[in-house]
């Protein structure tokens, strides 16, 4: 249920699928000022007793959008009493922000795992990075496209959780830079003079997020092909300097 891609800053688009945490306390205090620290303790595991709640929340926001839902309505759609939902979240916005952060972190883990899997399979650099971007960003776009409230949910994410999106982008780019360094050590690519793993990771993520914002919009089933093209262009270039300068 989350943004197709961030605008202006390096925010990360995040697919709408609410997920869980293994926070030990019976009640998780998810006030905005505590949210970041709380979610840093989230266990990145897909087998939590709260997974059924995650699925119901995802469906509720996708089917009904953000503005039209109250905590009472959200609780009913999730099969909870209002009091039971408030046991976990003190407001709809807190649930929304928590969902964004958790899904962003989970998508980062999935994207990195996809890259390492293809390295083990002996794939080339373009295929490895394309798969990572498709898992990290393409799935986001495809899931968001299924919601009749996609534009509203995208807007709400930018309005209410831009800080989370930026943090996720920085985190993913740092992890990608580390993997690019490993890929160079494995002989899968070689950095050109003046290029660092960090700058290349930034360019690759910018390219993927820009692809999600393309006009006219790219059909969801063609996203991976477009990622492949933009990644190829970024890694190997599409043109060389000409021998002559244009006349003034």
């Amino acid at each position: 249920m989350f943004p197709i891609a961030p605008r202006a800053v390096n925010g990360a688009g995040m697919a709408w699928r609410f997920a869980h945490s293994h926070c030990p306390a019976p009640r998780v205090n998810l006030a905005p000022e505590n949210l970041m620290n709380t979610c840093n303790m989230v266990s990145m595991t897909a087998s939590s007793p709260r997974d059924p709640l995650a699925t119901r929340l995802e469906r509720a926001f996708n089917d009904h959008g953000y503005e039209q839902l109250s905590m009472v309505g959200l609780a009913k759609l999730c099969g909870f009493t209002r009091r039971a939902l408030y046991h976990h979240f003190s407001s709809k916005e807190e649930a929304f922000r928590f969902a964004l952060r958790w899904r962003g972190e989970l998508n980062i883990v999935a994207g990195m795992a996809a890259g390492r899997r293809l390295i083990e399979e002996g794939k080339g650099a373009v295929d490895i990075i394309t798969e990572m971007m498709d898992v990290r960003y393409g799935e986001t776009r495809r899931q968001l496209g299924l919601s009749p409230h996609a534009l509203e949910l995208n807007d709400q994410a930018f309005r209410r959780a831009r800080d989370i999106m930026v943090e996720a982008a920085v985190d993913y780019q740092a992890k990608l830079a580390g993997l690019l360094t490993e890929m160079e050590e494995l002989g899968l690519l070689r950095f050109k003079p003046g290029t660092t793993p960090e700058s290349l990771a930034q360019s690759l993520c910018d390219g993927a997020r820009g692809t999600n914002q393309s006009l006219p919009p790219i059909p969801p089933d063609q996203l991976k092909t477009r990622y492949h093209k933009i990644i190829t262009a970024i890694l190997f270039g599409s043109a060389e300097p000409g021998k002559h300068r244009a006349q003034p």
Side-chain angles (χ1 to χ4, degrees):
M1 161 214 88
F2 295 111
I4 293 171
R7 301 178 285 259
V9 298
N10 300 321
M14 305 177 189
W16 173 243
R17 220 184 244 182
F18 181 85
H20 60 276
S21 77
H22 290 293
C23 298
R27 172 182 170 82
V28 181
N29 182 358
L30 296 176
E33 63 272 17
N34 296 327
L35 186 62
M36 285 187 165
N37 290 334
T38 300
C39 293
N40 283 337
M41 298 185 293
V42 170
S43 174
M44 296 287 192
T45 312
S47 57
S48 164
R50 293 183 67 185
D51 276 344
L53 171 60
T55 302
R56 294 169 187 173
L57 284 168
E58 173 184 36
R59 184 179 302 118
F61 280 110
N62 272 342
D63 291 349
H64 300 274
Y66 182 88
E67 289 290 355
Q68 297 302 315
L69 276 179
S70 64
M71 283 291 277
V72 173
L74 189 58
K76 288 180 179 179
L77 290 167
C78 294
F80 282 78
T81 64
R82 176 174 174 272
R83 181 176 181 179
L85 191 59
Y86 270 113
H87 179 74
H88 299 289
F89 307 105
S90 64
S91 72
K92 179 177 63 174
E93 181 172 342
E94 287 183 3
F96 189 74
R97 281 176 54 86
F98 182 71
L100 268 167
R101 172 179 287 281
W102 210 102
R103 174 49 54 183
E105 291 178 347
L106 203 64
N107 283 351
I108 289 171
V109 170
M112 295 302 299
R116 293 192 178 281
R117 174 174 55 81
L118 264 63
I119 289 175
E120 293 176 0
E121 293 176 3
K123 302 295 185 181
V126 173
D127 289 339
I128 292 167
I129 299 169
T130 296
E131 184 68 17
M132 292 176 67
M133 295 303 175
D134 192 53
V135 172
R136 175 69 181 94
Y137 296 115
E139 189 60 22
T140 293
R141 171 71 180 275
R142 287 187 286 271
Q143 290 184 9
L144 183 64
L146 297 175
S147 171
H149 303 279
L151 292 178
E152 182 213 350
L153 294 173
N154 189 64
D155 178 65
Q156 290 294 340
F158 278 104
R159 288 173 54 194
R160 301 179 186 278
R162 194 179 186 91
D163 59 323
I164 293 173
M165 295 160 61
V166 171
E167 184 184 341
V170 171
D171 182 34
Y172 184 57
Q173 287 165 197
K175 288 180 169 62
L176 177 57
L179 191 65
L180 290 171
T181 300
E182 293 180 33
M183 291 170 65
E184 185 183 40
E185 293 170 353
L186 292 170
L188 292 170
L189 54 79
R190 185 174 68 254
F191 298 123
K192 293 181 179 179
T195 299
T196 65
E198 292 76 17
S199 66
L200 181 55
Q202 175 80 68
S203 296
L204 290 166
C205 289
D206 286 349
R209 291 188 292 259
T211 297
N212 281 11
Q213 293 280 32
S214 294
L215 294 174
I218 300 170
D221 62 345
Q222 297 179 23
L223 279 171
K224 190 170 184 178
T225 299
R226 189 67 67 88
Y227 291 143
H228 191 278
K229 290 180 178 179
I230 193 69
I231 288 166
T232 299
I234 291 171
L235 285 181
F236 306 119
S238 299
E240 296 180 353
K243 296 181 180 180
H244 303 286
R245 292 185 179 183
Q247 294 298 320

